[in-house]
Amino acid sequence: MQFEQALIEHAALTLAGLKPASLFRFLPRDESRFIPCFLACREELARRGLRLTILKGCRKTGSYLICLYRERDLTALLDRAEYRQFLYSMGYRPWDGVQGCLRQLAVRLCLEEEFPHEIGVFLGYPLEDVKGFITHGGRNYTCCGCWKCYGDPERAQRQFRRYRRCTDLYRRRYAQGATLRQLTVAA
């Protein structure tokens, strides 16, 4: 899969403005072609108000953990008192905005043995679901879709259906020739 196609496949919800951020793993077939493509996509997305960054690179597998985010939307989310308190309780210090929080997340991804499940906050998952996942160790959820829900399953199912429709639409439009620019809702 080419990088731009992977971006559409895994980050359509952020491109469409439905989520503050998306995260996906990408294993380039050809490293020498990946970097210029990544940089071109990053520049194109920046013109539309989105940020594309590599949170982690794995020397062993050659894969990357890519994050696409809407800085304004993610800032607004992380500035909410309950999200800030939660991340503070998870050890995010000092508070220095989205970039600082993402740097701390990147360090956790690279250095901690266990996956940092607070990552759901950055991806726009409901806080009660992120906390529920951590508390219950991924068990005892009320429903499962794009994430494991610990709150209202009907509300979550509606959101999951909305997300699936958006991703399906973006896949189809990209396959029909729509460009990344055409598929990106400006921030």
Side-chain angles (χ1 to χ4, degrees), residues 65-186:
L65 196 56
I66 309 287
C67 181
L68 174 67
Y69 66 99
R70 294 175 165 269
E71 189 164 15
R72 188 179 67 216
D73 295 348
L74 192 53
T75 296
L77 181 71
L78 298 181
D79 278 347
R80 290 172 53 186
E82 65 270 24
Y83 285 83
R84 185 182 286 234
Q85 289 169 347
F86 171 72
L87 288 174
Y88 191 79
S89 76
M90 298 300 291
Y92 284 74
R93 292 182 186 88
W95 195 265
D96 54 356
V98 170
Q99 278 83 18
C101 287
L102 286 172
R103 275 192 300 277
Q104 290 179 67
L105 177 61
V107 167
R108 289 168 179 257
L109 285 163
C110 291
L111 299 179
E112 291 187 4
E113 285 186 30
E114 189 169 316
F115 191 79
H117 295 296
E118 71 274 8
I119 200 167
V121 166
F122 295 90
L123 301 175
Y125 300 165
L127 186 56
E128 87 178 303
D129 295 339
V130 175
K131 288 178 174 180
F133 186 92
I134 292 168
T135 300
H136 297 284
R139 296 180 304 278
N140 304 323
Y141 47 88
T142 58
C143 73
C144 186
C146 302
W147 64 85
K148 289 184 178 176
C149 171
Y150 291 84
D152 181 354
E154 290 176 19
R155 185 182 71 220
Q157 290 291 351
R158 282 191 304 272
Q159 190 73 327
F160 297 159
R161 282 191 298 275
R162 182 177 181 219
Y163 284 0
R164 276 192 299 275
R165 284 192 305 268
C166 176
T167 300
D168 290 346
L169 173 66
Y170 268 58
R171 277 189 203 120
R172 279 194 312 275
R173 290 195 57 213
Y174 185 74
Q176 294 167 349
T179 65
L180 180 61
R181 185 175 201 287
Q182 291 170 324
L183 293 171
T184 304
V185 175

